[in-house]
Amino acid sequence: MSVRIRVNGVEKTLDVDPDMPLLWALRDVLGLTGTKYGCGEALCGACSVHLDGQVVRACVTPVRRADGHAVTTIEGLSPDGSHPLQRAWVELGVPQCGYCQAGQIMTAAALLKAKPKPSDDEIEQSMAGNLCRCGTYARICAAIRKASGMPEGER
């Protein structure tokens, strides 16, 4: 079956099994390896991408669900790394091992699009499903606050 999706602004037609997880279509078919495989059960958030602007876990999302829709991966968020979240991540030295970071950034980007000035509670609630084995949660939250333009003392 052919599946037509707009990936990072580019129309793609994929000749794949419609039940193939979107993650494998992105990584193995399209070569977009920024989205990571973490658990395969939608529990860790490493595979988070946007489907029509909403965060989905690509490891459990069948590619057929993306047929006729727009998918944004970390590569498409800002190809030159200039997205405010990407800049804040670098400025604050958020990553340690870096494995979960694409999923963290994609989840945070959806949050800031929906709520440009989130409270600390809203940040914590939105990011709760994204695991970081290195425990960089405080830096992740600080980077989200920085990208939102909130001063550090303002919550």
Side-chain angles (χ1 to χ4, degrees):
M1 171 184 168
S2 287
V3 177
R4 291 191 49 189
I5 56 178
R6 177 177 285 275
V7 180
N8 300 330
V10 179
E11 290 289 336
K12 300 285 185 178
T13 301
L14 308 177
D15 219 5
V16 296
D17 180 334
D19 291 324
M20 171 188 273
L22 178 59
L23 176 65
W24 302 128
L26 294 170
R27 289 183 59 82
D28 296 347
V29 178
L30 296 175
L32 297 170
T33 58
T35 304
K36 304 299 184 202
Y37 174 84
C39 67
E41 297 180 13
L43 299 173
C44 73
C47 66
S48 297
V49 297
H50 297 175
L51 180 61
D52 290 337
Q54 301 298 309
V55 175
V56 297
R57 303 295 168 90
C59 70
V60 296
T61 302
V63 73
R64 69 177 141 66
R65 186 165 163 220
D67 191 23
H69 297 278
V71 174
T72 305
T73 68
I74 190 69
E75 292 92 345
L77 187 62
S78 174
D80 65 357
S82 65
H83 188 281
L85 281 165
Q86 292 169 312
R87 288 195 322 265
W89 243 250
V90 171
E91 288 171 22
L92 297 179
V94 172
Q96 191 163 320
C97 83
Y99 196 82
C100 70
Q101 299 305 303
Q104 300 278 1
I105 290 171
M106 294 305 290
T107 300
L111 168 64
L112 292 182
K113 185 168 185 166
K115 181 97 176 162
K117 303 277 186 203
S119 68
D120 283 352
D121 285 343
E122 290 167 327
I123 292 170
E124 287 180 25
Q125 288 173 4
S126 179
M127 302 304 292
N130 288 70
L131 303 180
C132 175
R133 291 178 56 129
C134 300
T136 66
Y137 298 112
R139 293 193 307 250
I140 289 167
C141 291
I144 295 169
R145 283 192 297 276
K146 183 176 184 68
S148 75
M150 285 177 28
E152 186 55 36
E154 197 177 301
R155 309 269 160 126

